[in-house]
Amino acid sequence: MKKILILALVFSLSSCAQVQQTLNQLPQLSSQIPGLGGVDIASGLKEALNKGITQQVSKLTAVDGFYKNEAVKILMPAELQKVDATLRKIGLSSLADEGIKVLNRAAEDAVKEATPIFVSAVKNMSFTDAKNILLGNDSAATSYLQNSTTTALYGKFNPVIKNSFAKVGADVVWTNIINKYNTIPLVKKVNPDLTDYTTNQALAGVFKMIAVEEKDIRNNISARTTPLLKSVFAMQDGK
């Protein structure tokens, strides 16, 4: 009987230990679910995206934000590379340079319209979105923003760029460039849609810079500048 009682006591203590071990694991599980007293993944990802928007996108709105940033600088479209080369050959390098500058000036103007659209997309992020982003690749958050905002951003950027062309004199510069080029004997006449081209290049530049910030936060612990970022991306480190 004593042996039976001892075995029962050992079994009971063992069961208690297992239960305690399970309870000890609950905070770790709850830390993955917002609202259970642990780390709020969605809030952490929103903070990371807001940091990317603040740190990187805002830089693009400054004078030379595009023009002097080699990572996103807008060059002449492929169909106008011959235009650029030809203008330079006939001593019109300054005109070609001015043409490129005004494209970038228009992009810098347009990106000022981006922040409210990004804020809305970040605000509407679901927990499922956040979890997939956290466990995704180095550009998963950027891809989420790209999928969520590209259509709205294009709609905002395009008219701003069109108006900006007039404001910075791009329409006059480019009319001059195209007219000059089209008068050169034996060249194929060109008439590109520069508003569409510049809009798409501005979009590409915005997402490229957000991706830079996202990659930094994911891979560089010192870039996690708040307790929430540190907690959330520590979970990513162990995925």
Side-chain angles (χ1 to χ4, degrees), residues 113-196:
E113 301 292 322
T115 300
I117 294 171
F118 281 139
V119 168
S120 177
V122 171
K123 183 179 178 182
N124 292 326
M125 181 191 296
S126 69
F127 174 60
T128 300
D129 291 329
K131 186 170 66 174
N132 291 338
I133 289 168
L134 185 66
L135 301 178
N137 60 31
D138 279 356
S139 60
T142 304
S143 296
Y144 165 80
L145 273 186
Q146 201 161 3
N147 292 333
S148 303
T149 64
T150 294
T151 300
L153 287 174
Y154 186 98
K156 282 284 188 180
F157 281 18
N158 196 263
V160 172
I161 285 172
K162 188 174 182 179
N163 290 335
S164 183
F165 278 170
K167 185 176 74 174
V168 302
D171 49 352
V172 175
V173 171
W174 273 95
T175 298
N176 192 14
I177 288 172
I178 298 303
N179 288 342
K180 287 274 188 187
Y181 181 77
N182 286 342
T183 59
I184 298 170
L186 304 178
V187 300
K188 182 180 178 181
K189 302 293 189 285
V190 294
N191 187 25
D193 184 348
L194 288 171
T195 304
D196 177 71

Side-chain angles (χ1 to χ4, degrees), residues 1 81 174 195 233:
M1 180 61 71
Q81 294 299 323
W174 273 95
T195 304
F233 284 94

Side-chain angles (χ1 to χ4, degrees), residues 17 50 79 84 93 101 157 168 172 177 196 199 203:
N50 284 328
E79 65 266 36
D84 184 84
S93 295
K101 182 183 285 187
F157 281 18
V168 302
V172 175
I177 288 172
D196 177 71
T199 301
L203 287 170

